[in-house]
Amino acid sequence: MRNLPADTPHFIVLFVCLSITGGSLALKSPTQKNPTLMVGQLPLPEICTFHNLTGLPCPGCGLTRSLVAAAHSRFKTSFAFHRLGILTLFTILVQIVYRSTVICVAHQSRLLIRTGKILNKGFIILGSLFLINWVINLIHILY
């Protein structure tokens, strides 16, 4: 099996982040009165398997709508759909800048390496915040 170039993980993360950002900008911004995501006049179906099976929200329920609203500068609406949507979009934008820099710069400086380690810790913190947010949401629903 052929070895992949060292930049491959950076390209993958960059592609995913650009896709999420592009998709967020391409979709019509939802409102609290009409939370359905739209592509032009076509509504997108809700596809959360966890919610469909259990009736309970998953840790990411509302995140897509939140990201779309935040990408369209509707921050209050974004926060209403998911408390961590704005932070998630910010994290995605920081990843785009970081990954683009790593790919374009031939020499990995100590600053880039240190930044990468900080961003990795940021992912762990963001994941922990998602779990905490989910528990808070479940407590509000169940009690």
Side-chain angles (χ1 to χ4, degrees), residues 23-100:
S24 296
L25 290 169
L27 292 171
K28 183 179 176 187
S29 182
T31 62
Q32 288 178 322
K33 290 182 181 179
N34 183 14
T36 304
L37 287 172
M38 307 284 281
V39 178
Q41 298 299 321
L42 182 67
L44 293 178
E46 290 189 27
I47 55 170
C48 181
T49 304
F50 184 86
H51 180 71
N52 290 338
L53 290 174
T54 66
L56 298 171
C58 73
C61 273
L63 186 61
T64 302
R65 290 174 287 179
S66 180
L67 290 173
V68 172
H72 290 274
S73 301
R74 301 180 78 145
F75 300 114
K76 185 176 178 183
T77 302
S78 173
F79 189 80
F81 284 127
H82 197 289
R83 291 181 199 100
L84 299 173
I86 297 167
L87 181 60
T88 302
L89 183 61
F90 176 76
T91 302
I92 289 169
L93 295 175
V94 169
Q95 284 290 331
I96 290 172
V97 171
Y98 171 71
R99 301 296 171 162
S100 299

Side-chain angles (χ1 to χ4, degrees), residues 56-57 134-143:
L56 298 171
W134 184 47
V135 169
I136 291 169
N137 287 341
L138 289 177
I139 290 170
H140 283 148
I141 290 170
L142 298 174
Y143 298 103

Side-chain angles (χ1 to χ4, degrees), residues 7-40:
D7 285 347
T8 300
H10 296 294
F11 278 109
I12 293 169
V13 173
L14 179 61
F15 175 77
V16 170
C17 290
L18 288 171
S19 298
I20 291 169
T21 305
S24 296
L25 290 169
L27 292 171
K28 183 179 176 187
S29 182
T31 62
Q32 288 178 322
K33 290 182 181 179
N34 183 14
T36 304
L37 287 172
M38 307 284 281
V39 178

Side-chain angles (χ1 to χ4, degrees), residues 110-123:
R110 287 184 183 168
L111 177 63
L112 275 180
I113 294 169
R114 204 172 313 134
T115 302
K117 290 179 181 180
I118 291 169
L119 290 176
N120 288 341
K121 290 177 185 174
F123 273 132

